[in-house]
Amino acid sequence: MALHPVIERVTDRIRQRSATGRAAYLARVARAAEDGPRRTHLSCSNQAHAYAAMDDKQDFATTRRPNIGIVTAYNDMLSAHQPYEHYPELIRRAAHAAGATAQVAGGVPAMCDGVTQGRAGMELSLFSRDVIALAATVAMSHDAYDAAVWLGICDKIVPGLVIAAATAGHVPAVFLPGGPMPSGLPNDEKARVRQEFAAGHIGREALMAAEMASYHAPGTCTFYGTANSNQMLMEFMGLQLPGSSFVNPGTPLREALTAAGVHRAAEITALGPDYTPVSAILDERALVNGIVGLMATGGSTNHVIHLPAMARAAGILLDLQDFHEISAVVPLLARVYPNGLADVNHFHAAGGLGFMIAQLLDAGLLHGDVRTIVGPGLDRYRREPRLTDGRAEWVAGARETLNDRILRPMAAPFAATGGLHMLTGNLGRAVIKVSAVKPELHVIEAPSRIFTDQAQVKAAFQAGELTSDCVVVVRFQGPRANGMPELHTLTPLLSVLLDRGLRVALLTDGRMSGASGKVPAAIHCTPEAAAGGPLAQLRDGDVLRLDAITGTLDCLTPGFADRPAAPADLSANQEGLGRELFALFRANASAADEGASVLF
């Protein structure tokens, strides 16, 4: 199937826009690779330090066995990352079986957005991505690894690791997932309980019981938020083994997939005939494939920030317009909570990513001519793994959906477009995800209610002040203001207002969680209020129009742009839980539509 003309046009535009930066990046990578395997240039003293704790250091120092670096985001506070505790031992065994060695090169921080939602720690969340990238780069700075395996799953962690992997672009990179926890309390029931609590109909004991039944075991949370969107991206972009994203932890197939990933890392080093550095994989075609996957699955809005940051690490410039145009031609093929009732285990069982990639390839919506960690061509990702005599082997994936309420073919999508739109107007640029929003709420025109943090919105709700149609504006939530926290704790109470028959929307220069759903929300508004954006000129009662159909975002009140900007009182965001140390990040962060990063 010929490539869809819109996909081809957007890719060409990205290539042209990025020509100078991409050429400089590839030249830098080439210089790093030109002397062959880097560790062969370490002095005897350098090598002795590097291998002092290895059991087989003498053999390793005198042979050309590949050495694999392990960069791990393990901690046992994140359920998704708890399975990584024993991965280094497994990886070392698999490396030895493949004629290689492996060392933990370093660890990176990994925070849980589920724990920090609505808390001060959430103001460090987005910036933790850049910290992870920096820490992982330190791990790779020993220059002693012929390939690296990257252990990360959750929200900011995978993007941070990708940035680091791209920076060390001459080194092959294989991402090893951990898999989702088994299905627990159905996601729609969890959402219902949260709304009942927000409305004051049930107590905290019932809420706690529902939450514990939802998040109940090691593994990724089973809704389709940023963490599971990360796993999808790594497959669509060719950095992870086919079909490996959603295999549960602690299963024989999960362990076999980890071993297979290590074997592949050993095979693609510069010491062998199939050298595949990450720079050869992570190009504009892979990034476009990732955006297509994001739209087809109804993935997290957080990746409208993360993908541009990852791209810049590889010398590539993405723009919101790229996302918007791709979304317009990529149909929604999956319904996974919060876009539907199913979880990622159900999605995987229905045919999963292999079925979806096959459908999109056959429709010309994906670049098939890419390089991946398993070889040339995305066709390899039509396959899915099976366990045979304790080893992972790949067979043809599902050719038909096994549950059309969860996963559909191109001929009968859930929606004709991906559901992610760019909004532009006199309030700036923003993003809206409508895949779970009722069609009658795709356009909201209503008076504004202005707030400067989530607590103010909650107080107004509890005081019974939100009783009419309105656009709830939460400003001074951008990266330069307070680190751009997610505002997910607003979802239950805004959902209550919708259930009461009100027409309500959210407008913010902050983020929503990857689990955001039925509330129409214009987010990532740029320029942000703290950087002179027009949100700072709004007042209570201004009539705002959010139109996801025409892609517009405007204040209809005459003269609003002539007002002085409201002052930003950010004193409460400057200290506590280490926020003092992140002042440098807040002062230097780029805009949300450029990746909200201090690194580029």
Side-chain angles (χ1 to χ4, degrees), residues 22 25 129-130 155-167 175 226 229-230 233-234 237 239 282-283 287 290 302-318 323 594-595 597 599-600:
R22 181 65 175 175
Y25 169 76
R129 181 195 63 199
D130 290 4
D155 297 39
K156 263 56 67 193
I157 299 145
V158 167
L161 295 179
V162 170
I163 290 170
T167 303
F175 281 71
T226 310
S229 297
N230 281 336
L233 283 179
M234 292 303 95
M237 293 165 65
L239 291 169
L282 192 60
D283 64 10
L287 287 158
N302 281 328
H303 284 301
V304 182
I305 296 175
H306 295 322
L307 277 164
M310 291 188 276
R312 284 174 182 253
I316 297 169
L317 300 177
L318 297 181
F323 290 82
E594 297 177 346
S597 175
L599 302 178
F600 312 105

Side-chain angles (χ1 to χ4, degrees), residues 173-355:
V174 174
F175 281 71
L176 299 178
M181 67 179 67
S183 302
L185 185 73
N187 284 301
D188 59 330
E189 176 63 13
K190 175 185 67 179
R192 185 194 65 79
V193 172
R194 286 179 175 177
Q195 288 183 221
E196 289 288 291
F197 178 78
H201 297 156
I202 61 172
R204 187 167 296 276
E205 184 176 343
L207 175 66
M208 188 65 188
E211 297 290 348
M212 293 289 283
S214 299
Y215 308 112
H216 63 95
T220 315
C221 304
T222 59
F223 61 83
Y224 194 55
T226 310
N228 287 317
S229 297
N230 281 336
Q231 304 310 296
M232 174 277 299
L233 283 179
M234 292 303 95
E235 286 202 38
F236 269 77
M237 293 165 65
L239 291 169
Q240 204 156 273
L241 293 178
S244 63
S245 292
F246 304 131
V247 175
N248 300 124
T251 61
L253 180 55
R254 178 82 275 161
E255 183 167 323
L257 285 167
T258 301
V262 176
H263 276 257
R264 190 57 187 159
E267 291 172 345
I268 61 176
T269 72
L271 294 168
D274 199 15
Y275 177 46
T276 310
V278 69
S279 58
I281 295 174
L282 192 60
D283 64 10
E284 65 281 348
R285 295 168 301 169
L287 287 158
V288 166
N289 284 351
I291 297 173
V292 170
L294 188 70
M295 302 309 169
T297 59
S300 169
T301 54
N302 281 328
H303 284 301
V304 182
I305 296 175
H306 295 322
L307 277 164
M310 291 188 276
R312 284 174 182 253
I316 297 169
L317 300 177
L318 297 181
D319 186 79
L320 281 183
Q321 186 67 31
D322 303 327
F323 290 82
H324 182 74
E325 291 182 27
I326 291 172
S327 179
V329 298
V330 175
L332 181 67
L333 301 182
R335 283 271 190 216
V336 187
Y337 186 85
N339 303 322
L341 300 182
D343 65 25
V344 294
N345 292 310
H346 305 137
F347 168 77
H348 185 66
L353 295 179
F355 173 82

